Amino acid sequence: MRRAIADPQMEERLHGPVPDHVDPVIEALVEDIIGKVADKWTMLILEALQEQGTLRFTQLGKAVGGISQKMLTQTVRRMEEDGLVRRTVHPVIPPHVDYALTPLGESLSQAFCGVWIWAEKHHDAIKEARRAFASNRKG
């Protein structure tokens, strides 16, 4: 995944004090968004569009790999509904449809880039923890 440019407002909030009060509306939104974007296909579509830019439907399917046409359609529709993806239909025959991340989708991609960086940094520690866990389960 391409490295994202840090958002100063997000950085300030990440390193600032923990709020005393959590807005229940924001909490519900976070739970909803995580439920939608934490699935395999959404993450892979987000990554493909972040790295390759605007893609036609068939190109997007190839970039993601292993996704059925039905699942790709459902996932990009859900992403479009949440304002993460822009779907453009070109009035030609046959129809030409392409997809691109919106600024909102770009910002979500930047947020998930942090997970990628975390995984790179802690890869060896996770591998060792899994090995130790497997070893303890056998013994």
Side-chain angles (χ1 to χ4, degrees):
M1 179 168 267
R2 190 169 28 158
R3 300 223 181 229
I5 298 169
D7 179 332
Q9 285 182 314
M10 285 179 62
E11 290 297 316
E12 183 179 328
R13 293 283 309 271
L14 284 170
H15 299 293
V18 176
D20 293 332
H21 171 70
V22 176
D23 182 340
V25 173
I26 300 300
E27 185 175 17
L29 178 61
V30 169
E31 290 176 9
D32 180 57
I33 295 297
I34 288 173
K36 289 179 178 178
V37 302
D39 73 273
K40 171 184 176 180
W41 299 122
T42 301
M43 293 300 298
L44 291 173
I45 291 168
L46 193 68
E47 181 179 18
L49 292 173
Q50 175 69 29
E51 290 181 354
Q52 298 181 37
T54 301
L55 294 172
R56 291 179 73 165
F57 184 83
T58 53
Q59 293 172 317
L60 184 55
K62 288 177 185 173
V64 170
I67 188 170
S68 70
Q69 186 172 353
K70 179 181 177 181
M71 183 56 69
L72 180 59
T73 299
Q74 289 175 348
T75 306
V76 294
R77 278 189 186 152
R78 205 171 49 242
M79 293 174 76
E80 183 181 13
E81 175 186 20
D82 286 334
L84 304 175
V85 169
R86 181 184 62 253
R87 178 179 184 261
T88 304
V89 179
H90 301 276
V92 294
I93 299 175
H96 169 128
V97 179
D98 55 46
Y99 297 88
L101 290 180
T102 64
L104 195 58
E106 289 275 348
S107 68
L108 180 62
S109 180
Q110 291 172 5
F112 279 113
C113 186
V115 175
W116 188 276
I117 293 166
W118 179 87
E120 285 178 344
K121 180 177 179 180
H122 298 289
H123 175 261
D124 291 338
I126 294 168
K127 195 164 110 177
E128 176 55 30
R130 289 176 176 174
R131 187 203 59 74
F133 180 82
S135 177
N136 288 338
R137 288 193 44 107
K138 291 178 185 175

